[in-house]
């Protein structure tokens, strides 16, 4: 057991039913945050943590590559760069940042502004830059500048100040929406879904993690990797087209089947990929793109805060302190800057491996760091990226159902601290969950921020506003043409921010709950704050890298 888990249990001993439930959570952990399993076991567990998020970490670069019209040979290198950035960002966060065992990867919350930037550039919206490389350079510049603001918000302590406004009434729906946001993922709800393959993957995970976990330690520790490998081998075997002399074996699954495994793609890839800073060129900065990207950064920050609470809950640790949150968001900002330098679309905390912690009981920081080191190395190997890309969507869908269902339950479990007989609380929670699902569903009607701008009549609104203030402009000697540009840029920033945040369920629900919970009258006991104060780690419980490096380790002082 980890020290954090032990301290948490001791702190709550004798504290009633809530304390007992917290101890029970920590007892479910096979390896706590500070534990170091044997090296070989840790490598396998670390790879398992990363396998839970490979689908998403590949989906983001593939979506962007398709939107940019990127050549196939460049796309493989683009995907590899995402894994290199993910490995470095995870090592940085677990060592220098919040030190939680959370994998860092490509953010979906920043995908909407990224696609908007790509759409504008490739459509010729930026003079003389209609190709994929120009779009990527504009994307990099927007991320670097927007992330610089995130660094300042973290390390200047602005994010941590929010903690005093976060009660279980806010955190519960926010975490739940992290899981619920993927209920309609195409890997699950595609019209041509292979339900037998998805069911096989999900059934194996349930079998190993819930029914056979007491039979052997391997089933408890490796349910995800065992299920994935078995399901992939079955799908690959059914996809084989083999001819041995007079014997010919036709594939059971055709190339148009969602469970088809294209093994030929693996051998066609390059062995080593050249990945280095500014590999696509020098990033370029356009103000409108930066503003739009910052909306995506804000959405990722809300999601990350929810992730911090979720991993603390699952690992049996106290809720994150203000200091830990600041270091976490500050480091995410630094890694976003780094991702822009390397040529990807950002980096943020991933919910996938948090679900794996709940399934496996492995919350070791050391394990996640070893997995990150493996991903960092294999990101340069072309064969690896292509091999991972052969995992069929139905298998990924099975993983999603198991892991994200776990996160939904973790979010709901926070409600044990609040008074659920209070109509105030039930209204806030229900409202936050509903709008967190409904608003993103509405935003899904629009393919991009550009389509949303057209739907709200942005150009007409700006033109009408300019006409309305024309007398004022004339009085101060400013022409309509000169005023229209800045007004349109500002209006685009507002509309794009609404679209990006509105497309992110946990951002919508979390912000709704945050506002309502802090404006509707309610006692601290009613909102769960009195109980939660006792469960939140002290500021001195978190020692940053600088505290330890400079020899000011607060735990040693205690």
């Amino acid at each position: 057991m980890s020290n954090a888990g032990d301290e948490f249990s001791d702190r709550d001993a004798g504290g009633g039913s809530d304390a007992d439930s917290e101890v029970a959570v920590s007892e479910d952990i096979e390896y706590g945050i500070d534990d170091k399993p044997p090296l070989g076991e840790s490598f396998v567990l670390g790879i398992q943590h990363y396998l839970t998020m490979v689908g998403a970490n590949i989906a983001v670069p593939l979506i962007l590559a398709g939107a940019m019209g990127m050549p196939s040979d460049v796309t493989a290198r683009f995907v590899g760069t995402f894994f290199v950035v993910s490995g470095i960002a995870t090592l940085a966060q677990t060592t220098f940042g919040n030190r939680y065992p959370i994998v860092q990867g490509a953010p979906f919350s920043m995908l909407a502004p990224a696609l908007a930037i790509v759409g504008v550039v490739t459509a010729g919206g930026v003079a003389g830059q209609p190709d994929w490389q120009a779009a990527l350079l504009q994307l990099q510049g927007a991320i670097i500048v927007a992330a610089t603001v995130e660094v300042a918000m973290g390390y200047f302590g602005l994010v941590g100040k929010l903690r005093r406004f976060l009660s279980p009434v806010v955190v519960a729906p926010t975490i739940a929406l992290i899981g619920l946001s993927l209920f309609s993922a195409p890997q699950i709800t595609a019209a041509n879904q292979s339900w037998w393959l998805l069911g096989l993957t999900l059934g194996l995970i349930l079998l190993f993690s819930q029914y056979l976990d007491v039979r052997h330690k391997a089933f408890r520790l490796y349910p995800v990797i065992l299920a994935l490998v078995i399901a992939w081998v079955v799908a690959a075997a059914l996809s084989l087209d083999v001819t041995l002399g007079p014997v010919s074996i036709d594939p059971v699954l055709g190339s148009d089947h969602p469970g088809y495994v294209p093994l030929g793609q693996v051998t066609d890839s390059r062995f080593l990929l050249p990945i280095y800073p500014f590999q696509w060129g020098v990033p370029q900065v356009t103000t409108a793109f930066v503003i739009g990207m910052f909306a995506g950064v804000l959405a990722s920050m809300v999601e990350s805060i929810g992730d911090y609470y979720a991993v603390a809950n699952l690992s049996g640790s106290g809720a994150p302190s203000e200091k830990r949150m600041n270091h976490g968001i500050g480091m995410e900002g630094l890694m976003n800057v780094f991702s822009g330098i390397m040529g990807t679309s950002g980096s943020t905390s991933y919910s996938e491996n948090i679900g794996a912690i709940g399934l496996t009981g492995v919350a070791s920081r050391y394990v996640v760091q070893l997995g990150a080191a493996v991903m960092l190395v294999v990101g340069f190997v072309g064969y690896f990226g292509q091999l991972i890309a052969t995992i069929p969507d139905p298998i990924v869908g099975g993983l999603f159902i198991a892991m994200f269902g776990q996160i939904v339950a973790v979010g709901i479990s926070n409600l044990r601290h609040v008074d659920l007989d209070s109509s105030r609380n039930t209204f806030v929670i229900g409202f936050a969950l509903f709008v967190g699902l409904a608003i993103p569903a509405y935003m899904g009607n629009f393919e991009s921020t550009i389509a949303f701008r057209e739907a709200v009549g942005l150009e007409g609104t700006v033109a009408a506003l300019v006409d309305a203030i024309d007398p004022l402009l004339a009085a101060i000697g400013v022409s309509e043409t000169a005023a229209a540009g800045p007004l349109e840029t500002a209006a685009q920033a507002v509309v794009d921010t609404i679209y990006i945040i509105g497309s992110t369920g946990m951002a919508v629900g979390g912000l709704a709950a945050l506002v309502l919970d802090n404006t509707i009258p309610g006692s601290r006991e009613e909102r769960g704050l009195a109980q939660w104060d006792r469960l939140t780690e002290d500021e001195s419980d978190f020692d940053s890298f600088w505290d330890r490096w400079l020899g000011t380790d607060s735990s040693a002082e205690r």
Side-chain angles (χ1 to χ4, degrees):
M1 299 300 294
S2 70
N3 294 333
D6 291 340
E7 290 173 3
F8 184 80
S9 301
D10 293 339
R11 209 164 44 236
D12 286 77
S17 58
D18 281 327
D20 293 340
S21 66
E22 294 298 335
V23 175
V25 171
S26 65
E27 288 176 350
D28 287 338
I29 297 298
E30 187 74 25
Y31 293 116
I33 290 178
D34 296 321
D35 289 343
K36 291 186 177 181
L39 183 61
E41 186 176 295
S42 293
F43 267 113
V44 178
L45 291 171
I47 292 171
Q48 177 174 251
H49 266 282
Y50 257 87
L51 285 176
T52 64
M53 53 77 76
V54 291
N57 209 43
I58 285 179
V60 172
L62 289 182
I63 290 171
L64 287 172
M68 289 185 285
M70 183 179 284
S72 57
D73 59 327
V74 180
T75 300
R77 182 171 153 197
F78 191 47
V79 173
T81 305
F82 272 78
F83 277 98
V84 171
V85 169
S86 173
I88 293 175
T90 302
L91 288 171
Q93 185 67 275
T94 55
T95 306
F96 308 112
N98 58 33
R99 307 191 72 232
Y100 276 145
I102 307 178
V103 170
Q104 309 290 296
F108 276 97
S109 52
M110 294 165 65
L111 186 58
L115 288 173
I117 293 170
V118 169
V120 171
V121 178
T122 55
V126 177
Q129 297 183 328
D131 63 1
W132 68 267
Q133 191 169 2
L136 189 50
L137 293 179
Q138 289 284 352
L139 176 59
Q140 290 177 243
I143 289 171
I144 290 172
V145 178
T148 302
V149 181
E150 183 181 15
V151 174
M153 291 179 68
Y155 286 120
F156 283 117
L158 299 180
V159 175
K161 300 299 182 185
L162 289 174
R163 191 178 64 80
R164 67 193 64 180
F165 302 107
L166 299 176
S167 76
V169 176
V170 177
V171 171
T174 302
I175 295 176
L177 285 165
I178 292 173
L180 291 172
S181 65
L182 278 183
F183 81 94
S184 60
Q187 293 90 342
I188 300 173
T189 60
N192 65 336
Q193 178 62 270
S194 175
W195 288 107
W196 71 265
L197 185 55
L198 183 150
L200 173 63
T201 307
L202 180 59
L204 288 171
I205 292 175
L206 291 174
L207 177 65
F208 296 142
S209 67
Q210 304 300 322
Y211 295 102
L212 298 181
D213 58 321
V214 296
R215 297 294 185 88
H216 196 280
K217 185 179 180 181
F219 295 131
R220 167 65 172 164
L221 294 179
Y222 311 118
V224 173
I225 198 169
L226 287 172
L228 189 151
V229 169
I230 293 172
W232 184 88
V233 168
V234 170
L238 296 177
S239 303
L240 284 176
D241 185 1
V242 180
T243 300
L244 296 174
V247 179
S248 178
I249 302 176
D250 295 326
V252 176
L253 305 180
S255 58
D256 58 342
H257 191 280
Y260 177 73
V261 178
L263 291 173
Q265 292 182 5
V266 179
T267 56
D268 293 339
S269 60
R270 296 175 59 181
F271 175 59
L272 289 177
L273 302 173
I275 297 172
Y276 50 87
F278 303 118
Q279 56 189 318
W280 319 115
V282 179
Q284 299 180 5
V285 177
T286 300
T287 303
F289 294 162
V290 171
I291 296 172
M293 182 55 67
F294 184 65
V297 170
L298 284 176
S300 75
M301 288 167 60
V302 174
E303 181 178 3
S304 293
I305 291 171
D307 288 340
Y308 299 169
Y309 277 91
V311 76
N313 195 326
L314 277 170
S315 62
S317 302
S321 64
E322 181 175 319
K323 184 178 178 183
R324 191 187 294 270
M325 288 173 59
N326 286 332
H327 277 76
I329 296 299
M331 182 54 66
E332 283 197 21
L334 285 175
M335 290 300 100
N336 271 322
V337 173
F338 174 71
S339 75
I341 292 173
M342 293 297 294
T344 70
S345 65
S347 175
T348 191
S349 295
Y350 253 44
S351 307
E352 282 84 343
N353 90 294
I354 298 174
I357 291 174
L359 283 174
T360 65
V362 178
S364 168
R365 180 192 308 114
Y366 176 69
V367 162
V368 171
Q369 289 171 331
L370 286 179
V374 172
M375 289 303 115
L376 170 58
V377 173
V378 300
F380 290 94
V381 181
Y383 296 143
F384 171 78
Q386 289 292 349
L387 180 63
I388 293 299
T390 65
I391 300 175
D393 280 352
I395 294 179
V396 176
L399 297 179
F400 279 1
I401 292 175
M403 294 182 299
F404 282 92
Q406 181 84 15
I407 293 175
V408 173
V410 168
I412 294 173
S413 70
N414 282 279
L415 297 178
R416 67 189 182 277
H417 303 304
V418 310
D419 180 7
L420 289 178
D421 290 327
S422 165
S423 60
R424 170 205 183 277
N425 287 345
T426 55
F427 175 82
V428 173
I429 295 163
F431 181 85
L433 287 172
F434 190 88
V435 298
L437 294 173
I439 300 300
Y442 168 73
M443 293 299 182
N445 293 315
F446 311 102
E447 293 183 357
S448 67
T449 55
I450 298 174
F452 186 60
R453 292 175 195 170
E454 295 174 353
V456 300
L458 180 66
E459 290 185 5
T461 302
V462 172
L465 178 61
V466 171
D467 288 340
I469 63 173
D470 182 51
L472 176 62
L473 295 174
I476 60 177
V478 177
S479 67
E480 288 190 15
T481 304
L487 282 175
E488 185 172 358
T489 299
Q492 283 182 3
V494 172
V495 171
D496 289 356
T497 299
I498 292 173
Y499 174 78
I500 294 163
I501 293 180
S503 300
T504 309
M506 65 286 299
V508 174
L511 291 172
L514 179 68
V515 172
L516 293 177
D517 186 50
N518 286 279
T519 55
I520 299 176
S523 67
R524 292 181 61 80
E525 290 75 12
E526 184 182 12
R527 298 167 60 197
L529 283 170
Q531 172 68 10
W532 211 350
D533 282 347
R534 190 167 63 87
L535 303 179
T536 300
E537 64 180 0
D538 294 329
E539 293 298 317
S540 58
D541 289 341
F542 172 70
D543 295 317
S544 70
F545 171 79
W546 308 112
D547 292 332
R548 301 190 306 278
W549 185 64
L550 295 174
T552 58
D553 190 325
S554 57
S555 62
E557 292 172 0
R558 291 195 304 274

